[in-house]
């Protein structure tokens, strides 16, 4: 990827901060030590994959819940 190109930019302003916070929350829930310097590159692939997988699981559940409440009026 060329320098200056950025991929996966969030559509909603402020979403990047919320996703970053979610990353830390999920890591804490899984008992994974969060890097104190903010650099995640030294973590194992297994740990970062577990964090990403759990984030995805939570976001899908949230989207399903929102769709169900819109479609069926379920709260």
């Amino acid at each position: 990827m060329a320098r200056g190109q950025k991929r996966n930019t969030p559509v909603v302003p402020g979403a990047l901060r919320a996703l970053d916070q979610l990353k830390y929350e999920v890591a804490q829930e899984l008992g994974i030590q969060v890097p104190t310097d903010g650099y995640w590159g030294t973590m194992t692939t297994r740990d970062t994959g577990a964090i990403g997988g759990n984030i995805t699981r939570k976001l899908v559940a949230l989207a399903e819940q929102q769709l169900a409440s819109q479609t069926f009026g379920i709260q």
Side-chain angles (χ1 to χ4, degrees), residues 12-36:
V12 178
L16 194 58
R17 184 175 295 131
L19 288 172
D20 197 46
Q21 181 181 352
L22 183 60
K23 176 173 54 176
Y24 284 93
E25 289 174 9
V26 168
Q28 185 178 17
E29 287 174 9
L30 296 175
I32 297 173
Q33 185 65 34
V34 177
T36 56

Side-chain angles (χ1 to χ4, degrees), residues 2-21:
R3 190 177 289 206
Q5 292 180 339
K6 188 173 180 182
R7 301 170 78 177
N8 296 332
T9 56
V11 177
V12 178
L16 194 58
R17 184 175 295 131
L19 288 172
D20 197 46
Q21 181 181 352

Side-chain angles (χ1 to χ4, degrees), residues 40-53:
W40 294 77
T42 55
M43 295 185 70
T44 65
T45 304
R46 178 180 218 116
D47 287 345
T48 56
I51 293 169

Side-chain angles (χ1 to χ4, degrees), residues 60-75:
V60 168
L62 178 64
E64 288 175 343
Q65 183 181 25
Q66 288 178 347
L67 284 173
S69 67
Q70 288 176 357
T71 305
F72 303 111
I74 300 170
Q75 295 285 339

